[in-house]
Amino acid sequence: MRIVEDFADYEIIDSSCGEKLERWGNIYLLRPDPQIIWNHGDLKEQYKGLIHATYHRSNKGGGYWEDFKETPEKWFVHYQDLTFGIRKMGFKHTGLFPEQAVNWNILRNKISSCGRKIRVLNLFAYTGGATVACLKAGASVVHVDSSRGMIDWAKENVKENGLENAEVRFLVDDVLKFVKREIRRGNTYDAIIMDPPSFGRGANGEVWNIDVYLDELIRLCNDLLSDCPLFFLINSYTAGFSQEVMVNLMKLYLLKGRKGNIDADEIGLPIQKHDLVLPCGISVRVDFE
């Protein structure tokens, strides 16, 4: 497992009964996490006075935030020389997945050390953590997400990092439709990143189901890779998929006629109390030769 151990502005303080207590800068949030099945007592009671807000799930879907202290509408956290805006969003999210810092480091090193300009395609790109990391390393990025709100947030993150003049295009689009159009246009990319959700909707209501469409998407993305690709990265939080499923897809489509190495592992975040680690999904990367 690859674990993030150098994120000074983020940490999981404690965990118990399906909840994790996190510090985002100087803001403390209590959020649900289904992986936390152990019982170390009631965190809300143990950390009374410290917690700014907690998220409550609803039995009917979704949920709501309960505030205990005044919390900014937006605040910032820093990872190394990267800056990201944080907000309390619907369905418990904050706009950043800190476990992805392990991938930001790898991608930046690969891009900056390859000795050529790299064109990156970031699919299901959310608020742009990977986009900012790749731009910082000198790549150009095409950033695609179906949500206008997430695209606007990604633009803010790019600006906060002083990258407003970098080579980046933001597109509100359904990922599958976009990829098919890019193939018809004859466009190619040296690196592709994707972070597909289990379920979702495209810009015009298209339905995304990872069980149905992931195979097709990776197969199509094979046609978008340049003659000298650098890497292909996929992250998955879908509990039903093992990392070997992703490895198999990579072997079938991306390494057919190409040489490369596959790196597959879980990624996780350390939990300060009790010396535990919270698993946060799988990450599979092809490094092309």
Side-chain angles (χ1 to χ4, degrees):
M1 178 179 281
R2 295 200 299 269
I3 301 171
V4 180
E5 296 179 313
D6 58 347
F7 205 138
D9 269 2
Y10 174 85
E11 62 181 332
I12 301 177
I13 306 295
D14 204 348
S15 59
S16 180
C17 299
E19 294 182 309
K20 56 187 175 185
L21 175 63
E22 305 165 292
R23 178 180 62 82
W24 297 85
N26 58 359
I27 302 297
Y28 292 81
L29 302 179
L30 187 63
R31 294 195 296 157
D33 193 299
Q35 302 257 31
I36 301 170
I37 63 172
W38 47 89
N39 186 343
H40 288 307
D42 186 341
L43 297 183
K44 190 186 299 183
E45 184 63 30
Q46 292 179 51
Y47 296 94
K48 185 185 297 183
L50 180 67
I51 302 169
H52 287 77
T54 185
Y55 187 86
H56 298 280
R57 288 190 184 276
S58 168
N59 292 331
K60 299 178 180 179
Y64 65 94
W65 286 96
E66 178 185 5
D67 293 323
F68 302 114
K69 295 182 181 181
E70 185 175 350
T71 308
E73 180 180 345
K74 177 182 179 181
W75 68 101
F76 296 94
V77 297
H78 307 278
Y79 176 73
Q80 297 181 1
D81 59 341
L82 307 180
T83 300
F84 301 104
I86 303 299
R87 296 185 178 100
K88 294 182 302 178
M89 299 169 59
F91 197 64
K92 79 174 184 178
H93 293 303
T94 62
L96 190 69
F97 294 105
E99 65 273 11
Q100 286 300 319
V102 294
N103 284 325
W104 302 336
N105 291 338
I106 293 169
L107 303 187
R108 291 182 71 176
N109 288 336
K110 289 190 170 298
I111 291 168
S112 61
S113 64
C114 74
R116 57 189 171 99
K117 186 75 173 186
I118 297 298
R119 190 168 188 237
V120 176
L121 174 60
N122 190 6
L123 301 172
F124 306 100
Y126 198 48
T127 61
T131 292
V132 169
C134 291
L135 290 174
K136 277 280 192 180
S140 65
V141 180
V142 174
H143 174 114
V144 184
D145 198 276
S146 65
S147 167
R148 168 65 66 182
M150 295 302 101
I151 290 285
D152 290 341
W153 195 333
K155 289 179 179 178
E156 292 174 10
N157 280 333
V158 166
K159 186 175 181 180
E160 287 294 336
N161 284 275
L163 295 166
E164 56 266 40
N165 295 321
E167 295 180 53
V168 56
R169 290 178 61 210
F170 295 98
L171 297 165
V172 181
D173 208 341
D174 174 74
V175 162
L176 266 175
K177 287 185 174 180
F178 172 80
V179 166
K180 291 175 182 178
R181 284 199 305 273
E182 287 290 89
I183 292 171
R184 291 195 297 268
R185 292 167 181 151
N187 290 332
T188 60
Y189 297 86
D190 303 303
I192 298 177
I193 301 165
M194 64 171 67
D195 200 344
S198 297
F199 299 95
R201 291 196 176 273
N204 295 305
E206 303 90 344
V207 176
W208 164 265
N209 183 323
I210 196 170
D211 296 331
V212 176
Y213 295 114
L214 184 62
D215 175 88
E216 179 185 7
L217 179 58
I218 294 179
R219 176 170 49 83
L220 289 169
C221 282
N222 179 59
D223 295 332
L224 282 181
L225 288 170
S226 68
D227 291 337
C228 297
L230 185 61
F231 63 79
F232 187 107
L233 171 69
I234 181 167
N235 297 294
S236 176
Y237 304 93
T238 303
F241 282 173
S242 76
Q243 67 185 35
E244 200 60 32
V245 171
M246 302 299 180
V247 169
N248 289 342
L249 290 171
M250 301 290 199
K251 288 179 178 178
L252 281 170
Y253 299 128
L254 303 180
L255 292 182
K256 193 174 182 179
R258 295 190 185 91
K259 292 183 178 180
N261 300 302
I262 298 177
D263 184 288
D265 209 343
E266 282 191 279
I267 52 178
L269 292 164
I271 302 171
Q272 186 185 82
K273 197 162 186 180
H274 308 293
D275 190 28
L276 305 178
V277 174
L278 180 66
C280 300
I282 59 176
S283 182
V284 182
R285 189 185 72 256
V286 177
D287 297 320
F288 297 100
E289 294 179 3

